[in-house]
Amino acid sequence: MSSLPGSREPLLRVAVTGGTHGNEMCGVYLARNWLQDPGELRRPSFSAMPVLANPAATAVCRRYIDRDLNRTLTLTFLGSKATPDDLYEVKRARELNQLLGPKGTGQAFDFILDLHNTTANTGVCLISEASQSSFNLHLCHYLQLQNPGLPCRLLQFEPHEAETYSVDSVSKNGISLELGPQPQGVLRADLFSLMRALVAAILDFIELFNQDKDFPAFEMDIYKILGKVDFPRTTDGDLAGTVHPQLQDHDFEPLRPGEPIFKLFNGEDVLYEGDSTVYPVFVNEAAYYEKHVAFLKSEKIHVSVPALPGLTPSSTQTP
Amino acid sequence: MSSLPGSREPLLRVAVTGGTHGNEMCGVYLARNWLQDPGELRRPSFSAMPVLANPAATAVCRRYIDRDLNRTLTLTFLGSKATPDDLYEVKRARELNQLLGPKGTGQAFDFILDLHNTTANTGVCLISEASQSSFNLHLCHYLQLQNPGLPCRLLQFEPHEAETYSVDSVSKNGISLELGPQPQGVLRADLFSLMRALVAAILDFIELFNQDKDFPAFEMDIYKILGKVDFPRTTDGDLAGTVHPQLQDHDFEPLRPGEPIFKLFNGEDVLYEGDSTVYPVFVNEAAYYEKHVAFLKSEKIHVSVPALPGLTPSSTQTP
């Protein structure tokens, strides 16, 4: 697999959104902190705008009020006629579209970095749409080079629905940063500091990109979402078991056919029956119980990523 | 400190309550499981009754609907005149009082075991009112003997208010079992199995007690709650920092004067300014942010616990 670089326009209108889910505390408190003092988000060529994406959910420390905001930024919702009965997150999606979009237009922000936490043991995980991979792959590679010893993975997805829906889909390019494990409603100092440092590094990368720096070609492993696996359930739809101890906390590690994935409440093991090795991600994420997701299956792919040449005279002369 | 054993009446009416907080998943799913199949809760002299304490909060996976149920079992709430506008948990407290009480009367259940999870790294922690210590100390000691290598601590509190308020305060004797760390809304198989085994051992202990077994005297360390410590806050009341990495996950370990307790968002450390070593508990528990509790301070006390003699002829003849 390879990705062609897009046109090299500088990213001048950049937003960092936290609190898209109101109980994912690193982004909530980073956004609040930057709204008071945005100095950390300034770079020579741009100043990133901090946004507290879901203030009502944040105020009550819940993921959302009426529906998941990060599934609501579709053109269908954004283009629908506003009514007084609209769900809170539908109203808020329209406000964000006003602020950072309009989605799909030339007026939209150049880049949104959306901050998340998960209860799963993902470590540092960037989530990117497959269509936006070239810039985002270079971004991930930059973070890997800056943080040797810290696993930093890129998880790629293609929206199943016809249209994109996430907060970072409003801008021309965007990415989500996931950091875990952290319980909902808890702010861990170690993850707060790590996310703050990662955001700084991402803004540094954007600055280097804006300065027309050459980013050479490289190879890396990425993870591509294949599908979801639900919990074992009773005929009533209730849980009949939970994630197996051998799978719990093992995000991004290989799961081979025949290995256990669930421990039923009656003590029996449920084994993985797929044909090939997969890489589970978001294993036992609290927010995904209601989405009927015990974990996502991904495949590991080795990709060769072409250079992002700078717009210097020498590089533009290269055939 | 020593505790005198109470009168040796068998505990025949025993309840195990889960889901007192609807997002603490081990108790929620154990209670649901036992409501389907209560066989595990049977012993020769009694059958413990499983209770899903807060079904409405459990259904939406939240700690509570209107107010914390585990602070609502006061005689004031239970004795107040019911009105249609009563908060959900006040209504539910009255129902539990009907089922397991009435609190403070001879009709009340003999023992309630109330199951909880915490996001803090408490391990196995029994929480007991100081007034009910003799039986509960023997119970904790029994679990320690049954599970060598598994830290099992007893945390003792005296209600600050004039009256007791917890679910397990409805019965003549009671105890809470806390198990952590587990994120809210997540069911970990390892903690689920451990809690299930601990409940079985607690019921075994009650059975031995009912069989008039002699429990010899012993010595142990317990932890007594001294007070709470709030997060550092801005003048607006918002967080100005969070638990320091050196304190995070170190529940029940000594905290000495001058050691760091908070990391401010501006990078500064806040040091513990007390006069003596304390033992923090419930460090960074998600549900306590709204209660303005970053952690509880406790003191470690070495106690000599007198024997619980059986009601055998030989022991009753002992002066």
Side-chain angles (χ1 to χ4, degrees), chain B residues 18-244:
Chain B
T20 293
H21 297 131
N23 54 10
E24 299 178 5
M25 300 282 266
C26 287
V28 168
Y29 279 97
L30 283 170
R32 284 180 172 166
N33 197 55
W34 292 325
L35 286 166
Q36 297 290 320
D37 180 6
E40 277 175 51
L41 303 184
R42 288 190 197 119
R43 294 295 179 278
S45 65
F46 71 100
S47 290
M49 182 170 76
V51 178
L52 188 64
N54 194 331
T58 301
V60 293
C61 199
R62 293 219 295 268
R63 184 174 175 89
Y64 57 80
I65 301 294
D66 293 323
R67 58 169 280 129
D68 192 335
L69 178 62
N70 211 32
R71 305 291 184 276
T72 308
L73 279 297
T74 63
L75 289 175
T76 303
F77 275 122
L78 299 176
S80 64
K81 187 171 153 57
T83 75
D85 296 335
D86 281 334
L87 300 180
Y88 170 76
E89 276 78 10
V90 173
K91 293 178 190 166
R92 183 61 185 153
R94 289 202 196 97
E95 292 172 2
L96 290 172
N97 194 45
Q98 286 275 328
L99 184 69
L100 305 173
K103 176 172 174 167
T105 73
Q107 289 173 264
F109 263 53
D110 296 315
F111 195 83
I112 294 175
L113 169 60
D114 192 33
L115 304 179
H116 291 266
N117 290 119
T118 167
T119 65
N121 186 25
T122 58
V124 181
C125 175
L126 294 166
I127 305 181
S128 170
E129 274 181 52
S131 64
Q132 300 190 336
S133 65
S134 175
F135 179 89
N136 288 350
L137 288 167
H138 276 274
L139 167 55
C140 185
H141 184 59
Y142 178 81
L143 294 182
Q144 290 172 342
L145 295 175
Q146 295 286 313
N147 301 280
L150 179 74
C152 176
R153 281 104 167 190
L154 189 130
L155 184 65
Q156 208 177 60
F157 73 103
E158 309 212 31
H160 286 289
E161 289 81 10
E163 47 179 349
T164 57
Y165 46 69
S166 63
V167 166
D168 65 85
S169 74
V170 171
S171 54
K172 292 169 190 159
N173 197 353
I175 205 163
S176 293
L177 171 58
E178 284 277 1
L179 210 50
Q182 183 173 263
Q184 295 176 344
V186 170
L187 183 63
R188 289 184 63 101
D190 51 357
L191 294 194
F192 179 84
S193 298
L194 177 56
M195 187 177 272
R196 192 177 198 169
L198 289 166
V199 171
I202 290 169
L203 299 184
D204 291 345
F205 174 80
I206 294 173
E207 177 62 26
L208 292 171
F209 179 86
N210 288 351
Q211 287 172 4
D212 285 339
K213 183 178 165 13
D214 257 327
F215 295 100
F218 63 93
E219 300 194 349
M220 71 185 293
D221 289 327
I222 68 166
Y223 298 82
K224 189 172 176 181
I225 296 173
L226 296 172
K228 61 188 187 179
V229 177
D230 191 13
F231 290 90
R233 294 187 183 269
T234 66
T235 48
D236 295 336
D238 210 352
L239 295 194
T242 190
V243 169
H244 196 280

Side-chain angles (χ1 to χ4, degrees), chain A residues 25 29 32-33 62 119 183-189 192 196 238-239 242-243 245 248-249 265 284 286 289, chain B residues 25 29 32-33 62 119 183-189 192 196 238-239 242-243 245 248-249 265 284 286 289:
Chain A
M25 301 281 266
Y29 279 97
R32 284 180 171 166
N33 197 54
R62 294 218 293 269
T119 64
Q184 295 177 344
V186 170
L187 183 63
R188 289 184 63 101
F192 179 84
R196 193 176 198 169
D238 210 352
L239 294 195
T242 190
V243 171
Q248 177 73 46
D249 304 327
F265 298 147
N284 216 349
Y289 280 65
Chain B
M25 300 282 266
Y29 279 97
R32 284 180 172 166
N33 197 55
R62 293 219 295 268
T119 65
Q184 295 176 344
V186 170
L187 183 63
R188 289 184 63 101
F192 179 84
R196 192 177 198 169
D238 210 352
L239 295 194
T242 190
V243 169
Q248 178 73 46
D249 305 327
F265 298 147
N284 215 349
Y289 280 65

